[in-house]
Amino acid sequence: MEEWQSAMKNFETAHGGITAPRGFRACGVQAGIKERGLDLALVVSDRPAVIAGTFTTNRVEAAPVKVSRSRMSGGIARAVVANSGCANACTGAEGLEDARRMALKVSNGLGVAEETVFVCSTGCIGTRLPMDRIEPAIGEAVKALSEEGADSAARAIMTTDTVDKQVAVKFSVEGRPVHIGGMAKGAGMIEPNMATLLGFLATDAAVDCGALRRCLSSAVAASFNRITVDGDQSTNDTVLFMANGVAGNAALDEKHSDWPVFNSAVGYVTEKLAMKIVRDGEGASKLVHVTVRGARTPEDAEKAARAVCRSLLVRTSWHGGDPNWGRVIAAVGCSGAEVREDLVEIRYDDTVAVRNGVAVEEMRLDALKRVLSGDSFSVCVDLHRGDGSFGILTCDCSEEYVRINSEYAT
Amino acid sequence: MEEWQSAMKNFETAHGGITAPRGFRACGVQAGIKERGLDLALVVSDRPAVIAGTFTTNRVEAAPVKVSRSRMSGGIARAVVANSGCANACTGAEGLEDARRMALKVSNGLGVAEETVFVCSTGCIGTRLPMDRIEPAIGEAVKALSEEGADSAARAIMTTDTVDKQVAVKFSVEGRPVHIGGMAKGAGMIEPNMATLLGFLATDAAVDCGALRRCLSSAVAASFNRITVDGDQSTNDTVLFMANGVAGNAALDEKHSDWPVFNSAVGYVTEKLAMKIVRDGEGASKLVHVTVRGARTPEDAEKAARAVCRSLLVRTSWHGGDPNWGRVIAAVGCSGAEVREDLVEIRYDDTVAVRNGVAVEEMRLDALKRVLSGDSFSVCVDLHRGDGSFGILTCDCSEEYVRINSEYAT
């Protein structure tokens, strides 16, 4: 997870979010899908860009996921259009047609090929998009595109997010300045619904299509796929990455001498966006890094770590600042991972609470409570059975989460 | 799940809980393990009884589970001693010795063999039992045993339970009156901790040991193993069933002509106790019966049903009385079960909300909201892929649940 940290000296953070890379313009407009605020974002590459994407593995897929996934084979993107306030999921053939019409309207407005327009939605499942409002809004968006449009685009994809989420970095490839910019939205809806994750990245580097896809897949596996707010997996999750080559470098791939810095920079951007999503999780007040080490296999480590993060008893105790390690060890014990109770060790930051499966005698409860009173801490479970390890970033579960998600949505 | 219903005409409900069967005495006393109230229960069979038991599958097992499980091979029980307020889990070799000493004290007090005494605990993980208070309390309990002691025993195993949970039935075997009585405790702790389930059953029928075990296993699979409050599995879960043969019948087994009525009565008692546990789940205000039908296999049906019950977004929407079927279909979609979105049907009680994966046109939102405003309703998902089905009883998730479990426990 922290692989990029050693390479961080090779790049610096930059301003400008998704439009930090040259040759990208963006904007956010108000289509009236949500009750208030911006709700339609458009990101355009002035040149044909190579595209990579990862999509939800939910067997129930939103219409825009179906459309965008089918267009990945072309490998070229000119634009991404995304709306908040309606997921366009479980909307049947009509919903699929709506998603295609959104892309078509963008394609006509920009004068680019229809298959190079990708579409995303986030919001309530089961209702149709208000196309009569969306189509004119797309017309406006095409006119409003700007190299300074990153902020409004980042706000237009927000739902119950309380802050927009943007990251950009700058570094050199073949001595030329290159940028990666990204934006994301996190957990929840103004009309509470699925914790939908959307992430968009852009770079002005030239990147080989296959290399871009491998790079994005591993970056997503180490970032967005290692966070959890409530364990619910959306029908709409999508991460898209466009590389337009405006920097003029020879296309980057794994053999290029500047590949490591590019790869690290992508790791940095995706991890920072992922962290922002957890930090802004619905009702969250604490960021918790859960690591399981010493598992028999990496798969066992992942099972155990996910079980800890999935336990509502564990996450509510964090909310109360309660170092309730009994709930952690019980969650690990029924995770399906191979566990020998008398070998288990549990640490909160640097304070050991449990050794050999029992509370350490010298344990200072006040020291543990101090760790858990912070707004961010780590929980490390060492199973002492092997070398497998896995880390996840998560948050506590508060009354506020329940309140947000109990309100009428339908 | 409702197998016993057709057989119900063959038995009637009775008073007296765990001591409804003849030859059983019980009591609850105050040992001072909890801050207030009864916290130590003793149930004794005047004659050696055949015993069956099921235990947690958590890899982290409480000391009393280890002790009781190892004594099952003997097959004979005279007493069960159970305390609330401390789980005696993750307490190492000393905790194991404490559990054995609890049983030994009972054995000495009653003058019965040590291996015929079974022990259970429920409460906070990781702290030792206050043996200096428990041992004298066991002495008192031995003196306080009574055929009318079921109520105090049922209260002594309560933690955050708000009501005690008892069921008893009466029927005939070979024309002789026979009883089954049971008590259970549910989700939560006065010092909030693991949602520990303890269940105790007794009968004055004579039952073959193997038949009793097979009968209990399938009854538990259809009752206690089909409820969920928060998806967390305790280190202490235990169900024990004693049959002392005071009724004088020929030992019941699957070939006995009265086996069906006995088996149905056990099904009835375990299901009623399970239902009482969910109804009294921490912070719960609604009882929800989730069924998945039409799955490719029974395993797929179970996966999908458990995914719905595990979804915090689904359970919080129920709390708000919100017919948010989008969350239900999304949970089913990522359950791992084979799902074809365009075949999915979802019903709330008798009202169809979704057909072929989309909202039914004639859907009356007000009718759905009326269903969900009740304190009990059913959600049925039909996958239309095969014959597999599975049902689970669960409850909603409220702010109150989070409040209860966020408070300091350690």
Side-chain angles (χ1 to χ4, degrees), chain B residues 78-379:
Chain B
R78 287 300 298 271
V80 176
V81 60
N83 73 276
S84 54
C86 172
N88 192 13
C90 301
T91 44
E94 292 87 351
L96 209 56
E97 190 47 38
D98 291 344
R100 285 201 196 99
R101 274 173 60 202
M102 270 178 78
L104 182 62
K105 183 81 189 170
V106 172
S107 136
N108 290 338
L110 294 172
V112 301
E114 200 183 334
E115 320 82 64
T116 64
V117 181
F118 291 75
V119 53
C120 295
S121 297
T122 172
C124 195
I125 293 176
T127 51
R128 294 274 305 275
L129 288 170
M131 291 305 292
D132 56 327
R133 274 169 281 163
I134 287 179
E135 290 192 311
I138 289 176
E140 276 172 54
V142 168
K143 289 182 204 136
L145 285 167
S146 136
E147 285 173 7
E148 281 81 42
D151 289 354
S152 67
R155 284 202 306 279
I157 57 172
M158 285 166 60
T159 51
T160 48
D161 303 70
T162 64
V163 291
D164 65 87
K165 296 162 185 75
Q166 304 185 68
V167 179
V169 294
K170 189 178 167 182
F171 53 98
S172 289
V173 169
E174 300 169 3
R176 302 158 199 256
V178 157
H179 308 77
I180 299 175
M183 63 179 187
K185 71 153 303 263
M189 298 292 304
I190 280 216
E191 295 178 335
N193 209 281
M194 290 309 305
T196 307
L197 185 150
L198 295 181
F200 303 102
L201 287 89
T203 180
D204 42 16
V207 189
D208 169 75
C209 186
L212 188 71
R213 289 176 182 191
R214 291 186 291 275
C215 166
L216 180 65
S217 290
S218 58
V220 167
S223 59
F224 296 118
N225 287 356
R226 293 205 181 192
I227 59 173
T228 175
V229 169
D230 50 17
D232 279 278
Q233 189 187 33
S234 162
T235 49
N236 292 56
D237 293 339
T238 300
V239 179
L240 297 175
F241 190 0
M242 290 187 280
N244 69 4
V246 165
N249 59 292
L252 286 163
D253 65 11
E254 288 87 344
K255 289 177 210 139
H256 193 290
S257 61
D258 287 328
W259 178 258
V261 60
F262 176 79
N263 194 44
S264 303
V266 173
Y268 174 85
V269 170
T270 51
E271 171 147 358
K272 282 288 166 191
L273 289 173
M275 209 180 271
K276 283 171 190 272
I277 288 171
V278 179
R279 175 71 81 184
D280 194 29
E282 286 177 333
S285 64
K286 289 166 197 289
L287 191 70
V288 187
H289 192 187
V290 173
T291 312
V292 171
R293 292 184 203 284
R296 207 175 42 84
T297 61
E299 293 72 30
D300 262 21
E302 179 168 355
K303 273 186 206 164
R306 292 203 182 274
V308 171
C309 297
R310 208 182 293 122
S311 166
L312 202 46
L313 284 171
V314 169
R315 295 180 51 235
T316 52
S317 69
W318 289 338
H319 181 63
D322 176 13
N324 197 321
W325 60 265
R327 296 180 182 178
V328 174
I329 198 170
V332 166
C334 62
S335 66
E338 201 170 294
V339 175
R340 254 191 56 194
E341 180 180 340
D342 59 348
L343 296 178
V344 177
E345 184 181 319
I346 300 178
R347 268 183 296 129
Y348 292 83
D349 282 354
D350 296 323
T351 309
V352 178
V354 175
R355 195 174 284 131
N356 301 325
V358 299
V360 295
E361 275 185 44
E362 72 277 21
M363 182 177 68
R364 295 275 310 280
L365 197 56
D366 54 339
L368 280 182
K369 285 190 179 171
R370 210 161 31 242
V371 170
L372 273 89
S373 69
D375 70 350
S376 127
F377 56 88
S378 72
V379 178

Side-chain angles (χ1 to χ4, degrees), chain A residues 245-282:
Chain A
V246 164
N249 59 291
L252 285 163
D253 65 10
E254 288 87 344
K255 289 177 210 138
H256 194 292
S257 61
D258 287 328
W259 178 257
V261 60
F262 176 79
N263 195 43
S264 303
V266 173
Y268 174 84
V269 169
T270 51
E271 171 147 358
K272 282 288 166 192
L273 289 173
M275 210 179 273
K276 283 170 190 273
I277 287 171
V278 178
R279 175 72 81 182
D280 195 30
E282 284 177 334

Side-chain angles (χ1 to χ4, degrees), chain A residues 58-61 66 90-92 125-126 192-195 230 232-233 235 310-313 315-317 319-327 329-330 333-334 338-339 341 357-358 365 369 397-399 401-403 405-410, chain B residues 58-61 66 90-92 125-126 192-195 230 232-233 235 310-313 315-317 319-327 329-330 333-334 338-339 341 357-358 365 369 397-399 401-403 405-410:
Chain A
N58 198 309
R59 299 294 295 259
V60 178
E61 268 186 1
K66 291 185 171 104
C90 301
T91 45
I125 293 174
N193 210 281
M194 290 310 305
D230 50 17
D232 278 278
Q233 188 187 34
T235 50
R310 208 182 294 121
S311 166
L312 201 46
L313 284 171
R315 295 179 52 235
T316 52
S317 68
H319 181 62
D322 176 13
N324 197 321
W325 60 264
R327 296 181 182 177
I329 197 170
C334 62
E338 201 170 295
V339 175
E341 181 181 340
V358 299
L365 197 57
K369 285 190 178 171
C397 178
S398 65
E399 288 103 320
Y401 175 92
V402 177
R403 198 194 54 71
N405 287 295
S406 299
E407 285 171 2
Y408 282 101
T410 17
Chain B
N58 198 310
R59 298 295 293 261
V60 178
E61 267 186 1
K66 291 186 172 105
C90 301
T91 44
I125 293 176
N193 209 281
M194 290 309 305
D230 50 17
D232 279 278
Q233 189 187 33
T235 49
R310 208 182 293 122
S311 166
L312 202 46
L313 284 171
R315 295 180 51 235
T316 52
S317 69
H319 181 63
D322 176 13
N324 197 321
W325 60 265
R327 296 180 182 178
I329 198 170
C334 62
E338 201 170 294
V339 175
E341 180 180 340
V358 299
L365 197 56
K369 285 190 179 171
C397 178
S398 65
E399 289 103 320
Y401 175 91
V402 177
R403 198 194 54 71
N405 287 294
S406 299
E407 285 172 0
Y408 282 101
T410 18

Side-chain angles (χ1 to χ4, degrees), chain A residues 337-408:
Chain A
E338 201 170 295
V339 175
R340 255 191 54 194
E341 181 181 340
D342 59 347
L343 296 178
V344 177
E345 183 181 318
I346 301 177
R347 267 183 296 128
Y348 292 84
D349 283 355
D350 296 324
T351 309
V352 178
V354 175
R355 196 173 285 132
N356 300 325
V358 299
V360 295
E361 274 185 44
E362 72 276 24
M363 183 176 68
R364 295 276 310 278
L365 197 57
D366 55 338
L368 280 182
K369 285 190 178 171
R370 209 160 34 242
V371 170
L372 273 89
S373 69
D375 69 350
S376 125
F377 56 87
S378 72
V379 178
C380 179
V381 180
D382 196 327
L383 299 178
H384 289 294
R385 295 300 311 269
D387 294 325
S389 76
F390 197 85
I392 309 185
L393 208 56
T394 187
C395 55
D396 57 333
C397 178
S398 65
E399 288 103 320
E400 178 69 4
Y401 175 92
V402 177
R403 198 194 54 71
I404 293 171
N405 287 295
S406 299
E407 285 171 2
Y408 282 101

